[in-house]
Amino acid sequence: MPKLAKIALGLSLLMALVAGPAAAANKAQVLNEGALKLYDLIGGIKGAATQRAMTAFKKAGLSYHKELTVPIEGMLKCKSPEQLRLLLGAHQFDTTYAMIFGRKLEILAVKQYMETDLTDALKLRGKVRQSRLNPVEIKEITDYPNSFVANGIIIRNTLTNIELWIRAAQTDPEVMQVLVDGLYGAVIQGLYVSCKLGLAAGPTEKLVEVFNEQNRRVQMANEAIAAFAGEPSLAEMVNAGPRQKFIKDVQGVLADKGGKLSEADLKQILALVEPERAQFVQPCP
């Protein structure tokens, strides 16, 4: 081998040795920063505010329609890991939707399913510590589903688990992938339910805050995905390119109209949302 070729080979090997740890350190830093960003978006006070903001549905005179929620029966055996992660987020939205209309028993059924069957399907048992409802809390929700205490139990449990997930995601890319995919799945389901309810009710001024809240949720997902877009392997992990395009297309309707959406606008958003949603909501044969 010529002398210059040997030198070039040696330099490339040296650069690879140096770049390896540097890339790993950068990935770890992006992962940690992404976790902090997620906490800022959906944890703590922000998380509680996001839960409360869903009351816009009730204030607009909308109602609970179970047929718009994602079923929990026969959903898991045919799903890919990504579809399962999206499903987790969609169910999380459905629990919030149920909560604002006092459907505590539906929430309890979905939460128990998420903590057992869906967690097992995602092979997450042991990776993330979860705060489960204890028998006393379950009895309170079952016996007094419309009570203020039952409502507080559910919100507190949800926010505690969000914090536990984010803490685990700081150092575990697999857990982070579940969180980001879940956030995206929640956005898809939220847009679907909002647009279906909006079409049924007919566009009115009362719906403005409903769609402004959906736009805020879409923006949260966009910021979460953008937090990983600069690190190639993490950008690929969160499917950054296609999802950012989808978000841009949806925000082109939501943000430009300031929440004042026409029937045509709602149908335009649904035309974007339904193909995304169809990937993960179909029951298994």
Side-chain angles (χ1 to χ4, degrees), residues 104 140-141 144-156:
K104 306 297 191 308
E140 176 69 32
I141 294 168
Y144 309 102
N146 297 317
S147 73
F148 179 78
V149 174
N151 197 58
I153 288 170
I154 290 167
I155 292 177
R156 185 172 62 251

Side-chain angles (χ1 to χ4, degrees), residues 92 95 99 103-116 129-143 145 149-161 164:
Q92 189 60 59
T95 60
M99 184 180 69
R103 307 297 288 255
K104 306 297 191 308
L105 299 183
E106 283 88 346
I107 297 171
L108 187 60
V110 174
K111 282 183 75 65
Q112 289 178 327
Y113 155 82
M114 290 166 65
E115 291 171 357
T116 54
R129 185 167 66 86
Q130 295 187 80
S131 173
R132 297 195 176 189
L133 297 172
N134 62 47
V136 174
E137 291 172 325
I138 292 172
K139 189 175 188 314
E140 176 69 32
I141 294 168
T142 305
D143 292 350
V149 174
N151 197 58
I153 288 170
I154 290 167
I155 292 177
R156 185 172 62 251
N157 178 260
T158 298
L159 295 178
T160 298
N161 280 319
L164 290 171

Side-chain angles (χ1 to χ4, degrees), residues 268-284:
Q268 185 180 347
I269 294 172
L270 273 177
L272 295 167
V273 167
E274 288 181 323
E276 292 283 302
R277 185 177 181 272
Q279 296 175 42
F280 61 90
V281 299
Q282 299 302 322
C284 298

Side-chain angles (χ1 to χ4, degrees), residues 60-194:
L62 303 177
S63 55
Y64 183 80
H65 291 271
K66 189 173 175 61
E67 68 273 14
L68 296 179
T69 65
V70 181
I72 61 175
E73 297 86 11
M75 295 293 292
L76 304 180
K77 290 184 179 178
C78 63
K79 297 291 189 293
S80 70
E82 181 183 12
Q83 289 170 332
L84 291 171
R85 294 189 293 267
L86 293 167
L87 201 57
L88 183 72
H91 286 313
Q92 189 60 59
F93 173 85
D94 285 345
T95 60
T96 307
Y97 174 44
M99 184 180 69
I100 60 174
F101 291 102
R103 307 297 288 255
K104 306 297 191 308
L105 299 183
E106 283 88 346
I107 297 171
L108 187 60
V110 174
K111 282 183 75 65
Q112 289 178 327
Y113 155 82
M114 290 166 65
E115 291 171 357
T116 54
D117 296 354
L118 190 48
T119 295
D120 288 341
L122 283 164
K123 297 180 172 58
L124 287 172
R125 196 165 297 282
K127 288 183 74 70
V128 181
R129 185 167 66 86
Q130 295 187 80
S131 173
R132 297 195 176 189
L133 297 172
N134 62 47
V136 174
E137 291 172 325
I138 292 172
K139 189 175 188 314
E140 176 69 32
I141 294 168
T142 305
D143 292 350
Y144 309 102
N146 297 317
S147 73
F148 179 78
V149 174
N151 197 58
I153 288 170
I154 290 167
I155 292 177
R156 185 172 62 251
N157 178 260
T158 298
L159 295 178
T160 298
N161 280 319
I162 287 172
E163 187 168 341
L164 290 171
W165 275 80
I166 291 174
R167 197 176 298 166
Q170 282 184 282
T171 55
D172 190 330
E174 186 179 345
V175 177
M176 180 61 77
Q177 190 173 26
V178 174
L179 270 177
V180 178
D181 284 1
L183 181 57
Y184 187 71
V187 164
I188 295 295
Q189 178 65 1
L191 289 168
Y192 175 79
V193 172
S194 302

